[in-house]
Amino acid sequence: MVREDSITVVVEPTNYLESDVVTKLVEKGVSSVVINRDTLGDASRDGRDLWNEVKACRYRVITLAPETLGSEAFRRVINDPEFRRRWRVFVMDEAHLCDLWGADFRKAFSDVWTIRSRAPEHVAFMALSASVEPGRQTAQVLRCLGFRRGRYHMDRRDCERININIIFRDVQYAYSGYDFRDLDWLVPENMTKAGDVPKRLVFCETIELGHRVTLYLRSLLPAHLKRVSNIVIRHIHSMNCPDCKKDGFAALMEIGDERRTSLFVATAVLDQGVNIPRLKAVVVFPRGKTAAAVIQEIGRAVREGDEQGEAIIYVPKGDLQAALEYANSDSAAKPGSTKKGTVPKQPAKPTARTAPSASDRQCLSLRLMVAAHARGFCVTRQINIIYGNPGTTHDCGRCSSCMEYPVPLARSLSDSVAAPQSQTSKAKLLVKDVDRIASDLLAAAHVVRQKSTPGDGLFVGANNFLSLSFRKAIARDFLSLDSQDTLALCLKTWRYWDIAGDALWEVVRPMVICMRAELIERHEDGKAKRRARDQERRAENASVHAQLTAVGLANVKRVSLVMPVKPEARLGPPLGTMLPVLSSSVGAASGNLSNVPQNSILQAIPPDQFYGSTISPNRRVEKRAGDALDRDAGHVKHPRLPKLHFKRAVSTNQMCVGIDVH
């Protein structure tokens, strides 16, 4: 880039990073341009053609997405002789995404290597990343970018963030509903203004989870901070969302903790190279899907200055157990001793025959990190072993395994403000419920329009007054509408809120109350039906147990009959008439019926009187057991005695009966 006549092409994963890179380069006096759908549209409206400007070599740095590399417009640019002469460098930023996203999410990341056949031979290729693991992931990234062994230079540096305290915490409370009591500490109980909440960023796995977390945290705020004008907690779910781009990112980049928004809930959209000013703490709830994702997410904290930050990672209990099982298995190396600070080594590279799937391979390093936390080993030291950093011979002295970090207590249930949907979290809205809500909202819009506009001052229909997009927004968060402010959040771009907001809330409020009551009643009815079915099943089992007790087979777990292969062999009287015969030949503790006459058993059950219900969990069987036994070997279960199983013999014509006793 020192050469003013050279051109550099930079591939970035997101539009935000493209704009961020170009902004900083322009500040340094380097002419740069972003090529994406937004910039192309803006330039077209101004009467400009960005592709022609790029082709004319007006910019020294061009940033674009990997999908753009295969476009026809880019092909015409790189075929221009003057552009090819000046094109000197190709940069792939966030190169670890070739492995994480290239497999399924964005396949263009796995095809970046194809640009080599179209680029001039003098172009130097460069790949940058802070979280590429040595071994399999590095090999995958090199393959996707077309680097050949012996033809590239690897500069692997220390990626340890010594200014971040990595704190692992176990998830104590369930988070499948609308209560997240593990995160109560994020909102102080005695807060009075937005500045009382330090600037923090909470990463969630999905948009839906981030939305539920946002609703719960907002419910913990004091009443005067729940107003729309005091948005203390904001959900940033997509870089392509207009509201997130306009308001969310702008508030996130504001310097200072006294702004309206202090706590941000993001859905893994800010974990790739985004520099957020004055962000001291990052919370990952729950842990990321891969080790690379966790490293990227915790790396958003304290990216400037000499301050010490924190990265708090919540680990579900199931992950703790899975991580310990993996660490104790043959797939991972055992630690050399039980002394604190001894860390498991990296697992051996799997062979092609036994190599796990891509998703499983990516989480093996994360399992080692979780296992180190569960065993009390230094987590930072384990991360250094995974990434080949120098600090592998000593503990860091600042992670949750090396220091005691008190776990914040959840608010008491009496003081905690319940989330709006917590009462009906087990009874979800059905499709027919959403359709009915949308229909009722359309009728309500007609009434509100008439009440809110004097005479015929508003010449719009109900469908245009409250459009389908707004009705969907209300229906999506219908059960969480506990106040007029929450309704305003759903309709914050609705142009008629000032004149009709109060009237709409007066109509929507009773609808929400009725729907909650209906869902609670539906849930209670479902529980009553399940209790009735369970009671009926217990009564039937008690009846079967009484029948078995009457014939001396109360302690029998299973009866197995090996049936003959020949179809002409006939079965005798109903199975119920055989129980006395079986009980007369076996004691209460005996499991051998070899003394029972086989011919009498064969001739005792006619096929038209024996009925089977299933041949296997996934295959039905005809009512006649004789037809079922003509099939492949399988289990036939008697409908009235479900613990009696029959199995066809494969290589013998003899019949024997065995009883398994508890």
Side-chain angles (χ1 to χ4, degrees), residues 108-388:
F109 276 94
S110 63
D111 297 331
V112 177
W113 62 271
T114 59
I115 193 63
R116 289 180 176 269
S117 62
R118 296 179 289 158
E121 294 183 357
H122 60 261
V123 172
F125 284 77
M126 176 186 293
L128 303 173
S129 176
S131 58
V132 174
E133 300 177 26
R136 186 208 63 83
Q137 191 176 52
T138 298
Q140 177 69 6
V141 171
L142 295 176
R143 186 194 67 79
C144 293
L145 298 180
F147 288 98
R148 293 180 293 175
R149 181 176 299 178
R151 301 291 300 275
Y152 63 87
H153 170 70
M154 174 72 72
D155 183 12
R156 185 178 293 277
R157 304 185 181 185
D158 185 3
C159 63
E160 180 184 356
R161 294 291 303 277
I162 60 176
N163 61 338
I164 296 180
N165 301 335
I166 301 178
I167 304 172
F168 275 79
R169 289 177 183 170
D170 300 344
V171 175
Q172 301 293 333
Y173 301 94
Y175 59 93
S176 59
Y178 284 81
D179 293 328
F180 302 91
R181 302 191 64 201
D182 287 290
L183 302 179
D184 283 354
W185 61 275
L186 290 174
V187 180
E189 295 188 57
N190 56 350
M191 66 175 299
T192 58
K193 59 182 184 300
D196 294 337
V197 179
K199 192 174 183 179
R200 294 191 180 100
L201 182 62
V202 182
F203 283 103
C204 297
E205 288 184 346
T206 62
I207 294 177
E208 189 268 342
L209 176 60
H211 178 68
R212 288 189 283 123
V213 170
T214 304
L215 288 178
Y216 178 74
L217 294 178
R218 284 176 179 171
S219 69
L220 301 179
L221 293 171
H224 69 281
L225 291 178
K226 291 183 179 181
R227 295 194 298 268
V228 180
S229 58
N230 295 313
I231 302 179
V232 183
I233 302 172
R234 186 182 293 274
H235 184 203
I236 304 177
H237 55 80
S238 174
M239 286 188 172
N240 294 325
C241 174
D243 294 335
C244 292
K245 292 172 63 175
K246 180 181 178 181
D247 301 325
F249 288 103
L252 184 64
M253 296 304 166
E254 289 286 348
I255 299 178
D257 294 337
E258 297 298 328
R259 305 293 300 179
R260 291 183 304 164
T261 308
S262 299
L263 187 60
F264 299 86
V265 180
T267 312
V269 297
L270 301 177
D271 59 350
Q272 305 296 335
V274 180
N275 295 328
I276 305 172
R278 298 194 62 179
L279 182 64
K280 297 182 180 180
V282 170
V283 179
V284 184
F285 185 86
R287 51 90 194 105
K289 294 182 179 180
T290 63
V294 173
I295 296 300
Q296 288 286 338
E297 289 167 352
I298 66 179
R300 299 310 102 206
V302 289
R303 298 184 64 86
E304 57 183 13
D306 299 330
E307 296 179 329
Q308 195 73 14
E310 291 183 345
I312 303 170
I313 305 166
Y314 282 89
V315 183
K317 296 180 180 179
D319 287 6
L320 290 172
Q321 182 178 359
L324 290 175
E325 291 177 356
Y326 171 72
N328 295 328
S329 65
D330 296 335
S331 301
K334 305 292 191 303
S337 66
T338 58
K339 183 179 178 181
K340 183 177 180 180
T342 305
V343 187
K345 298 180 180 180
Q346 274 291 85
K349 183 178 181 180
T351 61
R353 183 181 299 274
T354 61
S357 61
S359 59
D360 292 336
R361 287 197 303 263
Q362 292 169 5
C363 69
L364 296 184
S365 297
L366 180 59
R367 290 183 181 179
L368 288 177
M369 293 164 55
V370 176
H373 157 68
R375 292 179 171 183
F377 301 146
C378 178
V379 178
T380 305
R381 187 177 174 186
Q382 175 64 80
I383 295 175
N384 289 337
I385 291 177
I386 294 174
Y387 284 93

Side-chain angles (χ1 to χ4, degrees), residues 21-174:
V21 168
V22 167
T23 300
K24 294 179 179 178
L25 288 175
V26 171
E27 292 176 354
K28 297 181 180 297
V30 180
S31 58
S32 308
V33 65
V34 177
I35 299 294
N36 56 40
R37 183 176 59 182
D38 296 338
T39 58
L40 290 173
D42 294 340
S44 178
R45 284 188 290 270
D46 295 338
R48 299 165 50 206
D49 190 336
L50 283 186
W51 283 118
N52 287 338
E53 295 178 2
V54 170
K55 188 176 179 181
C57 303
R58 292 181 53 182
Y59 304 101
R60 293 171 56 189
V61 177
I62 299 101
T63 62
L64 40 77
E67 290 81 3
T68 310
L69 297 177
S71 64
E72 180 65 21
F74 184 74
R75 185 189 65 80
R76 290 195 299 267
V77 169
I78 63 177
N79 286 339
D80 181 75
E82 182 62 19
F83 185 89
R84 294 178 67 86
R85 185 184 68 83
R86 294 192 179 187
W87 185 13
R88 295 288 178 177
V89 183
F90 179 90
V91 181
M92 181 68 198
D93 197 12
E94 308 295 342
H96 58 278
L97 297 179
C98 294
D99 177 53
L100 298 183
W101 290 1
D104 46 16
F105 177 48
R106 294 175 66 179
K107 295 184 180 297
F109 276 94
S110 63
D111 297 331
V112 177
W113 62 271
T114 59
I115 193 63
R116 289 180 176 269
S117 62
R118 296 179 289 158
E121 294 183 357
H122 60 261
V123 172
F125 284 77
M126 176 186 293
L128 303 173
S129 176
S131 58
V132 174
E133 300 177 26
R136 186 208 63 83
Q137 191 176 52
T138 298
Q140 177 69 6
V141 171
L142 295 176
R143 186 194 67 79
C144 293
L145 298 180
F147 288 98
R148 293 180 293 175
R149 181 176 299 178
R151 301 291 300 275
Y152 63 87
H153 170 70
M154 174 72 72
D155 183 12
R156 185 178 293 277
R157 304 185 181 185
D158 185 3
C159 63
E160 180 184 356
R161 294 291 303 277
I162 60 176
N163 61 338
I164 296 180
N165 301 335
I166 301 178
I167 304 172
F168 275 79
R169 289 177 183 170
D170 300 344
V171 175
Q172 301 293 333
Y173 301 94

Side-chain angles (χ1 to χ4, degrees), residues 587-599:
S590 174
N592 185 12
L593 293 184
S594 58
N595 297 327
V596 178
Q598 298 176 0
N599 294 333

